Amino acid sequence: MNLDARLEAHLAECLQALGQGDDLSAVLTRYPDDAATLGPLLAVATALPELAEGPRPGAQAASRREFLTAAAALRQPRPAWWQHRVGARMALAAGLAAVVLLLVLSPSALPGELLYPAKQLTERAWLAATPPGPGRDAVLATLRARRLAETRELLALGRSAAVSLEGPIEEVHAAAWVVAGIPAEFMATTNILGTPEIGEQARVWGHTADGHLWVDTIQCEPPPGQSWSEPPPPGAAGPGGG
Amino acid sequence: MPAIKPDLTNEQEVQLLARARRFELDALGRIHDVYYPFLYRYISFRVGDCNEAEDLTSEVFRRWLAALRSGRAPEATLAGWLYRVAGHVVQDHHRQQGRYSESELPDSVLARDPSSADTAEPSMLRAGLHQAVAELTDEQQSVIALRFGDGLPIQDVARLVGKSEGAVKQLQARAVAQLARRMTMQVAE
């Protein structure tokens, strides 16, 4: 049933009147010309409230019980703000503790060990934070001493690891030089740079195995006015700076 | 004129909702008490079966719990949110069930004259009307259900459906005309 705008407006007004409690016949008298059309429509409208039903006895209570049971199951208290803060602080403390542990343990780490990269990182940071001058020279001397100590320890333990070191040439033989008290033994592939002079510095890149230091590259101290070239083999750190 | 949430002021509702977000059971129970009748009447008017209406009404509250759990529940007033969810639940139900088919209706329903509604056998008239309501658009169903199922005034219906009062009156008039046409078709068939 398609209504024109006028009839639709009349129907809307009649529905409004019915909704306010007016009687159907009284409403229809307002629009006598349209009563024949509006009558059946309003009859349907007056029947519509018959479809309205309230909840059955017990149904609402049953729904309430089910609802509250589900709610209770979901009722896992969220962490309070202070718990969040404690959690964050604990995480921060754990992180700091891990860093401190690394800093404490890594200085004794040897090449090839898990914490050695942390040790190298710390040393690089130390070196980078030290401006050129006597202070930096002292840091470099410390790092050189560490490399020597590490190599000696690896040799004593008989472990295999890549090493680098720097020290004075104490003895020169065909198959080995002694650098800082450590025999640096040559292989067929050893790369020897420069001419050795007893008492001068030499840099060594190599690896330890079964109590021996095998040399990949050994470099003599350059003449005055020249600086060290940097030919370390892959995987080896510089003798001075980790 | 009936109200959506009798005996509950806006301020009280805000307080209840704050407690509900903390899953305080007495607040949740109170809100269930307040809104269940409104939702049930709206849904049962649209689906026409009390068992289904009970299930769907409970489903609306389950969805509210889920919204509370995820922090997406409204904080000021629930009426509009619950009404929208109820509408979605009914639509889903209609999609799953399919709308009324005429074969489900007894012949006696189809033989009734809609203008003699007052003399029609009540259960037959109800079944025919429910079929006709189910064939309205969702928007028309909502307006008719809120007006005649919940008995809400035009202003409240307009607020819930998000339309002007004039638009609601027009929707209502067209829905009634459509219902009358459907009932006439039932008689003719």
Side-chain angles (χ1 to χ4, degrees):
Chain A
M1 186 173 296
N2 296 320
L3 303 177
D4 60 34
R6 180 187 59 83
L7 202 57
E8 188 174 280
H10 290 173
L11 175 58
E13 288 169 21
C14 290
L15 289 171
Q16 180 76 359
L18 285 177
Q20 290 168 348
D22 290 1
D23 180 67
L24 174 59
S25 55
V27 170
L28 283 174
T29 59
R30 299 182 187 180
Y31 304 103
D33 295 342
D34 295 324
T37 306
L38 291 174
L41 303 182
L42 295 178
V44 168
T46 55
L48 280 172
E50 297 297 319
L51 300 184
E53 285 183 339
R56 289 191 294 190
Q60 181 170 349
S63 173
R64 189 185 203 271
R65 278 195 302 276
E66 180 208 331
F67 173 67
L68 293 181
T69 301
L74 291 173
R75 193 182 177 190
Q76 293 164 359
R78 295 183 176 189
W81 62 270
W82 60 269
Q83 287 172 311
H84 280 297
R85 285 198 175 182
V86 167
R89 286 182 180 178
M90 285 182 70
L92 185 62
L96 285 173
V99 169
V100 168
L101 202 62
L102 273 178
L103 292 176
V104 167
L105 295 179
S106 66
S108 61
L110 294 174
E113 290 182 345
L114 194 65
L115 290 178
Y116 195 72
K119 181 179 185 177
Q120 289 177 305
L121 196 66
T122 309
E123 289 180 349
R124 286 196 192 107
W126 185 18
L127 197 58
T130 308
R136 187 181 178 87
D137 292 342
V139 171
L140 285 168
T142 301
L143 299 181
R144 281 194 291 270
R146 283 186 183 181
R147 300 293 85 81
L148 290 170
E150 289 166 3
T151 303
R152 289 188 187 106
E153 194 169 350
L154 285 170
L155 292 172
L157 293 170
R159 284 196 201 166
S160 298
V163 295
S164 59
L165 56 93
E166 180 181 334
I169 301 171
E170 296 171 351
E171 296 177 31
V172 176
H173 305 284
W177 300 350
V178 176
V179 178
I182 302 171
E185 301 177 54
F186 300 152
M187 303 178 291
T189 55
T190 295
N191 183 25
I192 301 173
L193 303 173
T195 305
E197 295 288 341
I198 301 295
E200 289 185 348
Q201 292 288 109
R203 287 182 170 185
V204 177
W205 289 268
H207 61 276
T208 60
D210 299 325
H212 296 272
L213 170 60
W214 299 102
V215 179
D216 295 315
T217 299
I218 188 163
Q219 181 183 20
C220 301
E221 188 177 19
Q226 293 183 28
S227 59
W228 291 94
S229 59
E230 295 291 341
Chain B
M1 187 67 78
I4 300 171
K5 44 173 187 173
D7 309 323
L8 185 65
T9 66
N10 291 339
E11 292 75 17
Q12 288 171 330
E13 185 173 19
V14 168
Q15 291 169 5
L16 276 177
L17 290 175
R19 293 173 54 212
R21 286 194 296 280
R22 297 193 293 270
F23 280 78
E24 292 183 23
L25 296 185
D26 57 334
L28 291 165
R30 173 90 172 101
I31 289 174
H32 185 281
D33 294 342
V34 166
Y35 279 110
Y36 187 94
F38 156 67
L39 290 171
Y40 177 85
R41 284 193 298 267
Y42 171 77
I43 290 172
S44 72
F45 193 96
R46 292 190 59 179
V47 302
D49 180 276
C50 57
N51 291 317
E52 289 172 351
E54 287 164 6
D55 290 345
L56 297 180
T57 306
S58 295
E59 173 61 19
V60 175
F61 284 102
R62 280 193 288 274
R63 292 192 186 186
W64 179 45
L65 272 187
L68 283 171
R69 184 70 181 153
S70 63
R72 291 180 289 105
E75 298 182 6
T77 178
L78 260 185
W81 190 92
L82 290 175
Y83 155 76
R84 281 192 299 279
V85 171
H88 293 148
V89 164
V90 169
Q91 284 177 33
D92 291 345
H93 173 76
H94 279 156
R95 271 193 290 272
Q96 287 168 6
Q97 301 290 317
R99 304 239 171 167
Y100 280 94
S101 64
E102 290 181 359
S103 61
E104 295 171 359
L105 293 172
D107 292 340
S108 52
V109 171
L110 306 179
R112 297 290 175 186
D113 179 350
S115 61
S116 61
D118 54 342
T119 61
E121 188 180 331
S123 63
M124 298 299 108
L125 175 65
R126 286 167 61 87
L129 268 177
H130 270 305
Q131 178 192 357
V133 168
E135 290 172 351
L136 295 174
T137 66
D138 283 320
E139 203 170 41
Q140 287 174 332
Q141 280 187 48
S142 284
V143 167
I144 291 294
L146 292 170
R147 281 288 284 153
F148 296 99
D150 278 304
L152 297 182
I154 289 285
Q155 301 93 302
D156 287 356
V157 176
R159 200 173 307 125
L160 282 174
V161 301
K163 291 187 177 295
S164 68
E165 293 182 22
V168 168
K169 287 177 182 174
Q170 189 182 53
L171 265 171
Q172 178 185 232
R174 289 180 179 176
V176 167
Q178 183 75 356
L179 286 174
R181 189 175 71 83
R182 294 283 181 188
M183 296 297 280
T184 304
M185 285 170 61
Q186 288 176 15
V187 171
E189 290 165 0

